[in-house]
Amino acid sequence: ACLIVAAKVEEHHVPSCERFFGADVGYTKKDLQKMEVNILQKLGWSLAVVTPHELVDRLLHLVPVAETAAIKTRANIFIDMALSEYDFLCHAPSTVAVSSVLCACEMLDRQDVSEVWMQQLYGIVKLDMADIVWCRQSLFAYLYKAFPEYQPQDGKNRRDSASPTGVMEAFRNQRFTPISPILC
């Protein structure tokens, strides 16, 4: 029944119960429908889960910026890193999304874009600036701990900031270690 509820929330075309489980699962269609209602009632019918990834799409659509695709790609990398680190769970998804976009702009050397974007966004969305600043700093601390080669040197931008491929490959290969003590 949980699988059916999840499919109804996420999928555009939900298969029938028979397609999910085959012809004989020990429950009738009516039994599964009762279980669905029971699950929904226990959840208080609250099924919407907003993720930082989804918010980046919406925020960049709400306040368009130059180089949206490049910013979105890098922001999603920062979000993926944040989702793998326990200390980021204390932040609202909106804080992680906004902070990730700011980090992405900085990686692309586009602080001008992030400043304009934040000014426009601040008038539309309620933001806790102190939390965003802390989250942004923590994201960079996590990145630099995992990938020291991306730290700015001699006032120059991070190595290979035009392409996130190196970061993603290292991230996928688990070449980094969590830095919880640094963030505390």
Side-chain angles (χ1 to χ4, degrees):
C2 289
L3 185 60
I4 294 170
V5 171
K8 288 180 178 179
V9 169
E10 291 294 322
E11 300 299 326
H12 297 287
H13 304 287
V14 180
S16 66
C17 293
E18 293 80 19
R19 285 202 45 162
F20 261 122
F21 305 110
D24 185 26
V25 293
Y27 296 104
T28 65
K29 187 174 182 177
K30 195 77 162 166
D31 290 336
L32 288 171
Q33 288 172 340
K34 286 179 184 177
M35 286 186 249
E36 281 183 74
V37 170
N38 188 25
I39 290 166
L40 292 170
Q41 287 173 338
K42 294 288 183 192
L43 293 173
W45 293 83
S46 178
L47 300 177
V49 177
V50 179
T51 67
H53 289 99
E54 184 181 335
L55 285 172
V56 165
D57 288 340
R58 292 182 184 204
L59 293 171
L60 289 173
H61 180 73
L62 188 62
V63 181
V65 295
E67 301 179 44
T68 298
I71 290 171
K72 180 180 169 186
T73 299
R74 284 155 186 82
N76 283 328
I77 292 169
F78 278 102
I79 291 168
D80 290 340
M81 288 192 318
L83 292 176
S84 71
E85 179 60 32
Y86 176 79
D87 290 333
F88 287 97
L89 293 177
C90 64
H91 297 292
S94 57
T95 299
V96 174
V98 170
S99 300
S100 296
V101 169
L102 295 176
C103 290
C105 289
E106 193 167 330
M107 287 291 290
L108 289 167
D109 234 358
R110 295 302 311 263
Q111 288 87 343
D112 58 324
V113 171
S114 65
E115 289 171 16
V116 170
W117 186 72
M118 281 300 292
Q119 289 172 357
Q120 292 175 347
L121 191 63
Y122 197 74
I124 300 170
V125 181
K126 182 179 177 185
L127 301 171
D128 180 348
M129 290 307 295
D131 201 25
I132 289 170
V133 168
W134 188 90
C135 185
R136 184 194 148 282
Q137 290 170 342
S138 299
L139 285 168
F140 272 123
Y142 188 72
L143 176 73
Y144 297 155
K145 177 69 175 179
F147 310 102
E149 65 270 21
Y150 282 87
Q151 285 189 10
Q153 296 175 350
D154 302 327
K156 294 181 183 174
N157 199 5
R158 287 144 202 80
R159 186 185 75 114
D160 196 23
S161 63
S163 172
T165 309
V167 174
M168 279 307 294
E169 279 306 309
F171 185 71
R172 285 188 188 127
N173 293 331
Q174 300 290 317
R175 200 182 84 187
F176 60 92
T177 57
I179 58 164
S180 300
I182 289 176
L183 299 178
C184 295

